[in-house]
Amino acid sequence: MRVEAPAHVTRTRSGEPATVLEAIGEALWEEMERDERVFLMGEDIGAYGGAFKVTRGFLERFGASRVIDTPISEGGFTGAAAGAAHMGLRPVVEMQFMDFISPAYDVLTNYIATSLYRGAGPLPLVVRGPVGGGNRGGPFHSQNVEMAFFHTPGLKIVYPSNPRDAKGLLKSAIRDDNPVIFEEHKGLYRAPHCREVLPPDDYAIPLGRARTALEGEDLTIVTYGLMVHRSMDAAAELARDGIKVEIVDLRTLLPLDEEAIAESLKKTGKLLIVHEDTRTGGIAGEVAIRMNERAFEWLDGPILRVTAIDSPVPFSGELEDYFLPSVRDVVGAARYLADY
């Protein structure tokens, strides 16, 4: 007997605004319906429905052979997913928290990322899960992991900021023949300000393309994930003083859409990079040097960055607020740059 999709993955059909969590659930459900090679692996994703209930109802519809509860062994089940991908399947691995992707670092960087280069064939595999701070989760449940893998050729890294992109990008990631790390900020999962009606058709958003989240002419903010929303709040405050900010949402971090950043910089002449990840070795440094190489003659001021500080994510709420980039931090840096 066919099981109907649960309510939390059917917002498109009802026309109601969907959360990021619901959009991700819809993408997984629809791709599993579309392609029988797609299956899920992860801790507590079956009978329990996942730590954040993204996969609630999936076991009843697709069965235990396609919704697989795993032991607490991230390196082991990521390696098993790689083997399944070699055999023609398309696994989607859930990390209960992306902080715990570190035991799978070896298999992801030394084996999965190099597979195609070694002549072992493509590895269509997605590793997805929650990232980010602000929820008082402390250092083991709040990290952003993108830069641990950004240096690795052969991987793709995706980090959406809204429901429409989350669904469309996840569909593209599942259909891609390359391994993709898909980061989902838990602070956006059910955020009231981050809901939107999704297109009713089967759509996918190409990987590797940024989007202009806000048009402006005085300075460019390049950002992604939750920081898109912080930057939008900062832009609204700056607009009251006549400063028109353009916001570029990267969406895909690897490969990086240099052209979109450069085109915005050519228009505004000033560049501010905002990300939640820590400062040293963050993507801001890479964006800055690439724009220095590609668009130096259009710069009318220094390239600035607003990031978290170089520290593990604090347990203390007050310290975590200090650690994370705030709207006030973005506004201050933008004002300095606009006046430069």
Side-chain angles (χ1 to χ4, degrees), residues 136-199:
R136 311 317 190 212
F140 297 148
H141 298 84
S142 308
Q143 297 177 60
N144 290 275
V145 302
E146 57 268 22
M147 296 312 292
F149 299 95
F150 187 81
H151 182 65
T152 305
L155 298 178
K156 296 185 177 183
I157 303 173
V158 180
Y159 199 147
S161 68
N162 59 78
R164 184 182 184 279
D165 286 353
K167 182 176 180 180
L169 290 167
L170 184 52
K171 280 175 165 282
S172 289
I174 293 171
R175 298 174 189 182
D176 202 294
D177 285 332
N178 300 281
V180 180
I181 295 174
F182 196 92
E183 298 188 51
E184 306 156 7
H185 200 292
K186 67 180 77 70
L188 296 177
Y189 268 167
R190 298 182 177 92
H193 69 277
C194 191
R195 297 170 184 255
E196 56 188 338
V197 176
L198 302 177

Side-chain angles (χ1 to χ4, degrees), residues 133-134 137-140 142-143 311-315 320 323-324:
F140 297 148
S142 308
Q143 297 177 60
S311 163
V313 185
F315 273 113
E320 186 180 30
F323 163 86
L324 293 169

Side-chain angles (χ1 to χ4, degrees), residues 197-227:
V197 176
L198 302 177
D201 55 319
D202 178 22
Y203 73 98
I205 296 173
L207 305 186
R209 297 184 189 174
R211 73 178 180 103
T212 302
L214 181 68
E215 297 275 356
E217 58 189 36
D218 294 323
L219 67 97
T220 296
I221 294 179
V222 170
T223 186
Y224 56 94
L226 179 67
M227 290 298 116

Side-chain angles (χ1 to χ4, degrees), residues 7-240:
H8 70 291
V9 295
T10 56
R11 295 299 184 189
T12 297
R13 300 172 204 176
S14 67
E16 299 175 47
T19 64
V20 168
L21 186 145
E22 290 163 344
I24 291 166
E26 281 198 14
L28 294 171
W29 187 281
E30 291 175 11
E31 290 305 293
M32 292 181 75
E33 291 270 19
R34 187 186 69 86
D35 188 345
E36 64 181 10
R37 297 173 299 170
V38 178
F39 74 99
L40 312 182
M41 299 178 69
E43 298 157 7
D44 300 322
I45 67 168
Y48 188 65
F52 293 89
K53 304 304 180 186
V54 173
T55 53
R56 187 173 69 241
F58 279 59
L59 181 63
E60 291 77 6
R61 167 65 184 92
F62 299 105
S65 64
R66 295 184 67 194
V67 183
I68 301 173
D69 280 319
T70 67
I72 302 174
S73 177
E74 288 81 4
F77 61 71
T78 303
H86 274 312
M87 299 305 294
L89 301 178
R90 306 187 82 86
V92 180
V93 173
E94 177 181 303
M95 295 289 165
Q96 196 167 92
F97 289 87
M98 273 289 200
D99 309 60
F100 302 115
I101 198 173
S102 53
Y105 183 83
D106 176 42
V107 70
L108 280 164
T109 57
N110 282 329
Y111 184 80
I112 290 171
T114 63
S115 175
L116 190 60
Y117 296 78
R118 291 183 285 101
L123 267 180
L125 181 152
V126 176
V127 179
R128 54 156 293 270
V131 297
N135 296 286
R136 311 317 190 212
F140 297 148
H141 298 84
S142 308
Q143 297 177 60
N144 290 275
V145 302
E146 57 268 22
M147 296 312 292
F149 299 95
F150 187 81
H151 182 65
T152 305
L155 298 178
K156 296 185 177 183
I157 303 173
V158 180
Y159 199 147
S161 68
N162 59 78
R164 184 182 184 279
D165 286 353
K167 182 176 180 180
L169 290 167
L170 184 52
K171 280 175 165 282
S172 289
I174 293 171
R175 298 174 189 182
D176 202 294
D177 285 332
N178 300 281
V180 180
I181 295 174
F182 196 92
E183 298 188 51
E184 306 156 7
H185 200 292
K186 67 180 77 70
L188 296 177
Y189 268 167
R190 298 182 177 92
H193 69 277
C194 191
R195 297 170 184 255
E196 56 188 338
V197 176
L198 302 177
D201 55 319
D202 178 22
Y203 73 98
I205 296 173
L207 305 186
R209 297 184 189 174
R211 73 178 180 103
T212 302
L214 181 68
E215 297 275 356
E217 58 189 36
D218 294 323
L219 67 97
T220 296
I221 294 179
V222 170
T223 186
Y224 56 94
L226 179 67
M227 290 298 116
V228 172
H229 300 269
R230 295 271 169 92
S231 298
M232 293 288 282
D233 290 342
E237 183 173 335
L238 292 161
R240 291 193 284 271

